[in-house]
Amino acid sequence: MTPAPRPKAAPEVPGAAAAAIPREVLRRVRQIEIRTNRMVTSVFGGEYLSVFKGQGMEFQEVRAYVPGDDVRSIDWNVSARGGGLFVKKFVEERELTVMLLVDVSASQFFGGTARFKKDLAAEIAAVLAFAAIRNNDRVGLVLFTDRVELHVPPGKGSGHVLRVIREVLSFTPRGRGTRLVSALEFLNRVTHRRSVAFLLSDFHDAGFERPLRVTARRHDLISVVIGDRREREWPAVGLVEWRDPESGARRLVDTSGRGVREALARGWGERRRRLLDTLRGARCDAVEVFAGEPYERELISFFKLRERRLRM
């Protein structure tokens, strides 16, 4: 792929943050900002607020009960001590914690020369981080393979978000496999308040159903399924040696036979169906995107559908 031309100016960041970010990563951050600016501003400026804001309530004070108050809000402990009826007053939370759980395993390097799955995951994570910071929310990051590779605690500000994006774009993991349980259980341990959690992965894993259900109950969990259509649609190119990027296992496949290609497509379709059933069974929202294809329409449609559902 021909390298993109260097922009005339890098994004403005605090001095320390800028010094810590390699020039190539800054260039990629700037490209993502330019490419996604309209979507972040117009779409996530509206749908983001309506879909996520106001999901949580925080305690403000205890006050005397007045006729018309919801009896379920009565604080019986305070009322017993105070000689009257008192109710708890809550206000809508003004900010959210957005956690990005990004799969950086070896299978994310699948794809053509134009774009790997990992590149798509990085760009979507950056879009979500930009959207969160524009709405004054806190953003945290968990990078994982078959282990948790990196945790960036939630924070605010342009310097913090640039660090999050830098790590997503340039982090070199130690592990090669995929273990979703590690990321989900880690999130539940370190994030005690309800958050909006985006899980970006190709979900090449098994045995994560129960932790997925637990996490979806504790947090607003949204799965972003990163795929590549070439995993389903194989050309007739004769003998091909496949190598599993995570396990290293090799297999020789004759793609010249139509029956073989159809069997591969059916296997892919069955795995996809089981995954979507698992996500629905866990009450976990999901959106599918594919490497090498525009993702904006799928992402925007997902948020609009979610907004309509919440209004109902």
Side-chain angles (χ1 to χ4, degrees), residues 31-44:
Q31 287 177 333
I32 291 174
E33 276 192 299
I34 294 171
R35 189 160 55 243
T36 63
N37 181 65
R38 180 179 175 275
M39 183 172 66
V40 171
T41 302
S42 62
V43 177
F44 286 102

PDB file of all heavy atoms in Angstrom, residues 31-44:
ATOM      1  N   GLN A  31      -4.696  11.420  10.675  1.00  0.00           N
ATOM      2  CA  GLN A  31      -5.482  10.888   9.568  1.00  0.00           C
ATOM      3  C   GLN A  31      -6.845  10.403  10.042  1.00  0.00           C
ATOM      4  O   GLN A  31      -7.870  10.639   9.388  1.00  0.00           O
ATOM      5  CB  GLN A  31      -4.719   9.748   8.885  1.00  0.00           C
ATOM      6  CG  GLN A  31      -3.536  10.203   8.048  1.00  0.00           C
ATOM      7  CD  GLN A  31      -2.779   9.026   7.453  1.00  0.00           C
ATOM      8  OE1 GLN A  31      -2.786   7.929   8.005  1.00  0.00           O
ATOM      9  NE2 GLN A  31      -2.121   9.255   6.333  1.00  0.00           N
ATOM     10  N   ILE A  32      -6.860   9.717  11.188  1.00  0.00           N
ATOM     11  CA  ILE A  32      -8.128   9.233  11.733  1.00  0.00           C
ATOM     12  C   ILE A  32      -9.025  10.399  12.116  1.00  0.00           C
ATOM     13  O   ILE A  32     -10.232  10.395  11.858  1.00  0.00           O
ATOM     14  CB  ILE A  32      -7.877   8.311  12.940  1.00  0.00           C
ATOM     15  CG1 ILE A  32      -7.237   7.000  12.476  1.00  0.00           C
ATOM     16  CG2 ILE A  32      -9.175   8.023  13.695  1.00  0.00           C
ATOM     17  CD1 ILE A  32      -6.811   6.091  13.605  1.00  0.00           C
ATOM     18  N   GLU A  33      -8.436  11.437  12.729  1.00  0.00           N
ATOM     19  CA  GLU A  33      -9.223  12.614  13.093  1.00  0.00           C
ATOM     20  C   GLU A  33      -9.881  13.237  11.877  1.00  0.00           C
ATOM     21  O   GLU A  33     -11.070  13.569  11.883  1.00  0.00           O
ATOM     22  CB  GLU A  33      -8.331  13.649  13.780  1.00  0.00           C
ATOM     23  CG  GLU A  33      -8.120  13.425  15.255  1.00  0.00           C
ATOM     24  CD  GLU A  33      -7.486  14.635  15.902  1.00  0.00           C
ATOM     25  OE1 GLU A  33      -6.370  14.996  15.523  1.00  0.00           O
ATOM     26  OE2 GLU A  33      -8.126  15.230  16.789  1.00  0.00           O
ATOM     27  N   ILE A  34      -9.104  13.407  10.810  1.00  0.00           N
ATOM     28  CA  ILE A  34      -9.636  14.021   9.592  1.00  0.00           C
ATOM     29  C   ILE A  34     -10.716  13.144   8.979  1.00  0.00           C
ATOM     30  O   ILE A  34     -11.782  13.618   8.577  1.00  0.00           O
ATOM     31  CB  ILE A  34      -8.499  14.275   8.583  1.00  0.00           C
ATOM     32  CG1 ILE A  34      -7.539  15.334   9.128  1.00  0.00           C
ATOM     33  CG2 ILE A  34      -9.067  14.713   7.230  1.00  0.00           C
ATOM     34  CD1 ILE A  34      -6.287  15.498   8.298  1.00  0.00           C
ATOM     35  N   ARG A  35     -10.462  11.846   8.910  1.00  0.00           N
ATOM     36  CA  ARG A  35     -11.372  10.924   8.245  1.00  0.00           C
ATOM     37  C   ARG A  35     -12.683  10.761   9.000  1.00  0.00           C
ATOM     38  O   ARG A  35     -13.734  10.525   8.405  1.00  0.00           O
ATOM     39  CB  ARG A  35     -10.684   9.570   8.087  1.00  0.00           C
ATOM     40  CG  ARG A  35     -11.434   8.589   7.217  1.00  0.00           C
ATOM     41  CD  ARG A  35     -10.531   7.488   6.707  1.00  0.00           C
ATOM     42  NE  ARG A  35      -9.835   6.780   7.768  1.00  0.00           N
ATOM     43  CZ  ARG A  35      -8.509   6.755   7.923  1.00  0.00           C
ATOM     44  NH1 ARG A  35      -7.722   7.447   7.113  1.00  0.00           N
ATOM     45  NH2 ARG A  35      -7.957   6.061   8.905  1.00  0.00           N
ATOM     46  N   THR A  36     -12.641  10.869  10.314  1.00  0.00           N
ATOM     47  CA  THR A  36     -13.827  10.566  11.114  1.00  0.00           C
ATOM     48  C   THR A  36     -14.430  11.793  11.786  1.00  0.00           C
ATOM     49  O   THR A  36     -15.391  11.657  12.543  1.00  0.00           O
ATOM     50  CB  THR A  36     -13.469   9.532  12.200  1.00  0.00           C
ATOM     51  OG1 THR A  36     -12.487  10.096  13.086  1.00  0.00           O
ATOM     52  CG2 THR A  36     -12.929   8.256  11.594  1.00  0.00           C
ATOM     53  N   ASN A  37     -13.898  12.970  11.511  1.00  0.00           N
ATOM     54  CA  ASN A  37     -14.338  14.167  12.221  1.00  0.00           C
ATOM     55  C   ASN A  37     -15.835  14.406  12.049  1.00  0.00           C
ATOM     56  O   ASN A  37     -16.548  14.690  13.015  1.00  0.00           O
ATOM     57  CB  ASN A  37     -13.553  15.387  11.746  1.00  0.00           C
ATOM     58  CG  ASN A  37     -13.974  16.648  12.475  1.00  0.00           C
ATOM     59  OD1 ASN A  37     -13.785  16.777  13.684  1.00  0.00           O
ATOM     60  ND2 ASN A  37     -14.566  17.587  11.749  1.00  0.00           N
ATOM     61  N   ARG A  38     -16.331  14.283  10.819  1.00  0.00           N
ATOM     62  CA  ARG A  38     -17.752  14.538  10.577  1.00  0.00           C
ATOM     63  C   ARG A  38     -18.625  13.545  11.311  1.00  0.00           C
ATOM     64  O   ARG A  38     -19.653  13.903  11.896  1.00  0.00           O
ATOM     65  CB  ARG A  38     -18.045  14.498   9.077  1.00  0.00           C
ATOM     66  CG  ARG A  38     -19.515  14.756   8.748  1.00  0.00           C
ATOM     67  CD  ARG A  38     -19.764  14.721   7.254  1.00  0.00           C
ATOM     68  NE  ARG A  38     -21.175  14.851   6.967  1.00  0.00           N
ATOM     69  CZ  ARG A  38     -22.042  13.845   6.955  1.00  0.00           C
ATOM     70  NH1 ARG A  38     -21.605  12.622   7.230  1.00  0.00           N
ATOM     71  NH2 ARG A  38     -23.317  14.027   6.698  1.00  0.00           N
ATOM     72  N   MET A  39     -18.229  12.277  11.286  1.00  0.00           N
ATOM     73  CA  MET A  39     -19.029  11.255  11.962  1.00  0.00           C
ATOM     74  C   MET A  39     -19.045  11.477  13.471  1.00  0.00           C
ATOM     75  O   MET A  39     -20.080  11.395  14.116  1.00  0.00           O
ATOM     76  CB  MET A  39     -18.497   9.861  11.648  1.00  0.00           C
ATOM     77  CG  MET A  39     -19.337   8.747  12.261  1.00  0.00           C
ATOM     78  SD  MET A  39     -18.868   7.096  11.726  1.00  0.00           S
ATOM     79  CE  MET A  39     -17.246   6.959  12.443  1.00  0.00           C
ATOM     80  N   VAL A  40     -17.889  11.792  14.039  1.00  0.00           N
ATOM     81  CA  VAL A  40     -17.823  12.023  15.488  1.00  0.00           C
ATOM     82  C   VAL A  40     -18.665  13.223  15.882  1.00  0.00           C
ATOM     83  O   VAL A  40     -19.380  13.212  16.878  1.00  0.00           O
ATOM     84  CB  VAL A  40     -16.362  12.220  15.931  1.00  0.00           C
ATOM     85  CG1 VAL A  40     -16.307  12.677  17.386  1.00  0.00           C
ATOM     86  CG2 VAL A  40     -15.580  10.920  15.762  1.00  0.00           C
ATOM     87  N   THR A  41     -18.603  14.291  15.063  1.00  0.00           N
ATOM     88  CA  THR A  41     -19.308  15.534  15.395  1.00  0.00           C
ATOM     89  C   THR A  41     -20.803  15.417  15.199  1.00  0.00           C
ATOM     90  O   THR A  41     -21.591  15.691  16.106  1.00  0.00           O
ATOM     91  CB  THR A  41     -18.767  16.691  14.548  1.00  0.00           C
ATOM     92  OG1 THR A  41     -17.367  16.826  14.777  1.00  0.00           O
ATOM     93  CG2 THR A  41     -19.477  17.991  14.905  1.00  0.00           C
ATOM     94  N   SER A  42     -21.230  14.990  14.006  1.00  0.00           N
ATOM     95  CA  SER A  42     -22.648  15.011  13.688  1.00  0.00           C
ATOM     96  C   SER A  42     -23.402  13.807  14.222  1.00  0.00           C
ATOM     97  O   SER A  42     -24.516  13.934  14.723  1.00  0.00           O
ATOM     98  CB  SER A  42     -22.839  15.100  12.168  1.00  0.00           C
ATOM     99  OG  SER A  42     -22.284  13.959  11.542  1.00  0.00           O
ATOM    100  N   VAL A  43     -22.807  12.641  14.122  1.00  0.00           N
ATOM    101  CA  VAL A  43     -23.512  11.431  14.532  1.00  0.00           C
ATOM    102  C   VAL A  43     -23.352  11.173  16.020  1.00  0.00           C
ATOM    103  O   VAL A  43     -24.315  11.105  16.771  1.00  0.00           O
ATOM    104  CB  VAL A  43     -23.017  10.216  13.726  1.00  0.00           C
ATOM    105  CG1 VAL A  43     -23.697   8.951  14.223  1.00  0.00           C
ATOM    106  CG2 VAL A  43     -23.320  10.428  12.250  1.00  0.00           C
ATOM    107  N   PHE A  44     -22.101  11.047  16.466  1.00  0.00           N
ATOM    108  CA  PHE A  44     -21.887  10.738  17.874  1.00  0.00           C
ATOM    109  C   PHE A  44     -22.176  11.933  18.766  1.00  0.00           C
ATOM    110  O   PHE A  44     -22.361  11.781  19.968  1.00  0.00           O
ATOM    111  CB  PHE A  44     -20.471  10.221  18.084  1.00  0.00           C
ATOM    112  CG  PHE A  44     -20.287   8.824  17.587  1.00  0.00           C
ATOM    113  CD1 PHE A  44     -19.662   8.576  16.384  1.00  0.00           C
ATOM    114  CD2 PHE A  44     -20.770   7.760  18.302  1.00  0.00           C
ATOM    115  CE1 PHE A  44     -19.515   7.288  15.910  1.00  0.00           C
ATOM    116  CE2 PHE A  44     -20.625   6.461  17.838  1.00  0.00           C
ATOM    117  CZ  PHE A  44     -19.999   6.230  16.646  1.00  0.00           C
TER     118      PHE A  44
END
